[in-house]
Amino acid sequence: MKYLYIANWKMNLSFNQSIDFCTKNKNALQQLAQTADIVLCPSFIALAPIINMFKDTPITIGAQNCSEYATGTYTGEISALSLTEIGITYCIIGHSERRVYYHETTENLIKKIYLSYAANIIPIICIGESHHDFLNKKTFTVLAQQLEPIVLAIAEQQYHNKHIIIAYEPVWAIGTGIIPEQKQLITIFGWLAELMHQYLPDYTVQLVYGGSVNQNNITELKTIFHIIGCLIGNASTDF
Ligand code: PEP
């Protein structure tokens, strides 16, 4: 499997900026895609034109979120079904910004994950502890609380597409320029790999790291066993 780069542009790039990025970097992205798997996650309205730009390339497109409802009277929401209809392959679910700013709970996330799988979209599930929890040595407790109900819920279903991406993103590392020490990452990812194997033994599980990944730390991150890719925020807006 190739190394996986997931670019989460959040709301950092406007519609025009997202299209400009793809136009300017289309060739370079395609070249990079020979040795790495690339997932671009622009904001909703840029998804369809970007899917169209990359339709004959190995570059895939992900959404940053989807509705927890299948259909209905939910003004302003976008369903997983609509996303799959326009050609979305992945959906980020449970980013810490959504958990914190939009109060998304594990229950909400499980509904989104169910609907993503039903629409044949691979979920990129984000987990991560706060700085307070990290300082109080509660990292594993928090990660288990976030992840176990989700993987149990998935294990109860019989999905055709048995592929899942887990992004470990310590909240204190997102946008701060700080990343955990290498030995912490080795321990956390070893633990995550075991937990995922225990709950979802028949799934293809990809474990990625996110939080202040940039050109200075990517080389070291790539040496860590079990980390098969990165979810990149700010640095991904500059090719
Ligand atoms: C993120 O928000 O998913 C992220 C990893 O952001 P950044 O790379 O900017 O820390």
Side-chain angles (χ1 to χ4, degrees):
M1 227 176 238
K2 293 179 190 162
Y3 206 74
L4 174 64
Y5 293 106
I6 305 166
N8 176 15
W9 291 344
K10 315 188 187 193
M11 209 174 69
N12 284 327
L13 295 185
S14 70
F15 175 80
N16 283 346
Q17 287 169 332
S18 303
I19 303 297
D20 283 354
F21 180 101
C22 295
T23 310
K24 277 196 200 114
N25 300 309
K26 188 171 180 197
N27 291 339
L29 282 164
Q30 279 183 262
Q31 214 170 327
L32 185 59
Q34 289 174 7
T35 52
D37 287 324
I38 299 174
V39 182
L40 302 178
C41 303
S43 53
F44 280 130
I45 55 163
L47 290 172
I50 291 178
I51 286 167
N52 197 35
M53 284 172 85
F54 289 107
K55 66 175 181 295
D56 298 320
T57 79
I59 290 150
T60 48
I61 312 302
Q64 297 175 15
N65 184 30
C66 69
S67 175
E68 66 184 286
Y69 301 106
T71 181
T73 52
Y74 302 103
T75 304
E77 290 289 283
I78 309 272
S79 69
L81 178 64
S82 290
L83 294 173
T84 203
E85 283 174 357
I86 62 160
I88 284 298
T89 313
Y90 298 93
C91 184
I92 299 174
I93 294 178
H95 191 282
S96 62
E97 287 153 13
R98 298 218 52 96
R99 291 178 192 257
V100 174
Y101 304 144
Y102 301 96
H103 314 292
E104 290 188 358
T105 63
T106 299
E107 210 178 41
N108 302 135
L109 305 183
I110 290 172
K111 288 184 187 166
K112 292 178 186 215
I113 292 164
Y114 281 168
L115 291 167
S116 296
Y117 276 122
N120 206 23
I121 291 172
I122 300 161
I124 301 169
I125 299 165
C126 300
I127 54 169
E129 81 285 10
S130 67
H131 196 221
H132 181 263
D133 290 330
F134 171 72
L135 292 177
N136 286 292
K137 304 201 184 318
K138 287 199 177 142
T139 298
F140 290 100
T141 313
V142 171
L143 296 184
Q145 277 167 357
Q146 290 178 344
L147 199 51
E148 276 174 350
I150 288 177
V151 286
L152 270 172
I154 295 171
E156 281 169 8
Q157 307 294 316
Q158 287 303 323
Y159 292 119
H160 173 67
N161 188 346
K162 296 192 184 312
H163 187 168
I164 187 167
I165 299 178
I166 304 292
Y168 169 56
E169 301 204 299
V171 178
W172 49 275
I174 294 179
T176 58
I178 303 165
I179 70 167
E181 284 174 21
Q182 193 178 31
K183 66 173 194 298
Q184 286 164 344
L185 288 176
I186 291 170
T187 314
I188 290 167
F189 276 87
W191 175 84
L192 273 176
E194 240 173 69
L195 185 139
M196 293 305 291
H197 182 70
Q198 185 191 334
Y199 284 97
L200 298 174
D202 54 345
Y203 271 63
T204 300
V205 178
Q206 290 182 287
L207 301 178
V208 304
Y209 167 77
S212 295
V213 176
N214 59 36
Q215 74 264 36
N216 300 322
N217 53 36
I218 185 73
T219 310
E220 187 183 321
L221 285 166
K222 278 175 124 177
T223 65
I224 300 176
F225 195 59
H226 292 308
I227 300 184
I228 63 82
C230 289
L231 178 48
I232 312 175
N234 289 334
S236 72
T237 59
D238 177 348
F239 184 79

